Amino acid sequence: MSGARRIVCLTEETVETLYLLGEQDRIVGVSGYAVRPPQVRREKPRVSAFTSADMPKILALDPDLVLTFSDLQADIAAELIRAGIAVHAFNQRDVAGIRAMIRTLGALVGAVEKAETLAQGYEDRLRVIAATSRAGPRPRVYFEEWDDPMISGIGWVAELITIAGGEDAFPQLSAQKAAKDRILTGDDVIAAAPDVILASWCGKKVVPDRIRQRPGWQAIPAIRNDRIVEIKSPLILQPGPAALTDGLDTIVAALHGV
């Protein structure tokens, strides 16, 4: 076995990727949010949330590599590095970055060819979906990542909306990596007049009635036509395979009723 042999994954997407590469035996610890594939919940010990981690538990697993994601896990990464643990911090925020993550992870575990096949397969899949001919104009889509304050969708979500045949209502915000830079107001959404509202409230259940009852929102086409669709956060808010498969398929179904 080449590459890292004892890996702790502190976010979901690297867990799913390692399983898809057939390299799951290397995983010795995972995030508490890891749910894909379903067997991970019974096969791997949970050692972290998203912005916090059980450091003694991680160190006791004697990992030779810990995989983290984004600036929100920077303090965890720093503590692990000070403890002498090798850390790779991913920071992908778009579809190309997701494919690059897969290829990089393959290199880290000595599965370069399998990773290339997986990444290329997703690239081909997205190209086919994007090229699918659909009747009528592109529906304008507001993706809500959080409800209070209201936060619009990040880069890879906006890209997937476009690939699915929609038009992101707030393209200027999707380029912002930090959630605080994607905060908007109810009036912003009213002015954008989305045809569809997709909501994924980052780990809590979406309540459509709460969206419908916002002041002035009855004028929004998506509200008038009852086109509010929840997408479970593990399917779309993790920048990994789930977003490119089940997440994208859910968006296509929401926009085109298939």
Side-chain angles (χ1 to χ4, degrees):
M1 180 187 284
S2 62
R5 296 166 188 249
R6 298 184 59 80
I7 300 175
V8 169
C9 301
L10 298 188
T11 54
E12 299 172 70
E13 63 281 348
T14 50
V15 174
E16 182 173 14
T17 301
L18 285 169
Y19 269 87
L20 288 167
L21 294 174
E23 301 293 339
Q24 64 270 18
D25 289 349
R26 299 173 187 265
I27 302 173
V28 295
V30 299
S31 158
Y33 292 106
V35 295
R36 291 170 65 94
Q39 62 265 36
V40 70
R41 298 177 72 87
R42 62 178 183 272
E43 290 180 352
K44 307 296 180 182
R46 295 166 176 269
V47 299
S48 72
F50 186 61
T51 57
S52 62
D54 187 332
M55 203 60 58
K57 195 169 184 179
I58 292 173
L59 296 177
L61 291 169
D62 191 29
D64 54 11
L65 178 64
V66 176
L67 302 174
T68 71
F69 173 72
S70 90
D71 56 304
L72 295 177
Q73 294 191 329
D75 290 344
I76 299 171
E79 189 173 348
L80 288 164
I81 291 166
R82 284 192 288 267
I85 304 297
V87 175
H88 186 99
F90 286 103
N91 210 12
Q92 70 274 14
R93 307 299 176 111
D94 55 21
V95 170
I98 293 172
R99 295 197 302 267
M101 176 275 291
I102 292 169
R103 292 180 169 105
T104 299
L105 190 49
L108 288 169
V109 299
V112 172
E113 289 185 12
K114 287 191 287 186
E116 178 59 35
T117 299
L118 186 62
Q120 187 61 53
Y122 290 140
E123 191 168 338
D124 295 344
R125 181 181 200 273
L126 268 55
R127 189 182 301 113
V128 168
I129 293 172
T132 300
S133 178
R134 306 188 189 281
R138 287 176 169 263
R140 182 182 288 261
V141 182
Y142 165 51
F143 184 95
E144 186 167 284
E145 187 176 300
W146 193 247
D147 62 323
D148 187 20
M150 284 181 278
I151 297 173
S152 65
I154 198 168
W156 72 83
V157 174
E159 284 185 79
L160 293 175
I161 287 169
T162 300
I163 290 167
E167 176 189 342
D168 179 29
F170 297 100
Q172 74 281 10
L173 295 182
S174 66
Q176 302 298 321
K177 295 179 180 180
K180 65 180 177 59
D181 296 325
R182 287 180 277 113
I183 293 173
L184 36 66
T185 68
D187 286 344
D188 293 331
V189 182
I190 293 169
D195 301 298
V196 181
I197 294 173
L198 303 178
S200 187
W201 290 352
C202 203
K204 72 176 182 180
K205 186 169 178 56
V206 170
V207 184
D209 276 346
R210 216 184 288 169
I211 296 174
R212 291 187 191 98
Q213 291 164 10
R214 291 172 181 165
W217 279 40
Q218 290 69 35
I220 295 173
I223 301 294
R224 289 202 312 265
N225 298 317
D226 196 26
R227 297 190 70 184
I228 303 171
V229 178
E230 177 180 15
I231 302 181
K232 301 295 185 185
S233 52
L235 300 186
I236 194 65
L237 295 184
Q238 314 309 320
L244 306 185
T245 55
D246 294 352
L248 175 56
D249 290 349
T250 303
I251 295 173
V252 170
L255 302 194
H256 307 291
V258 293

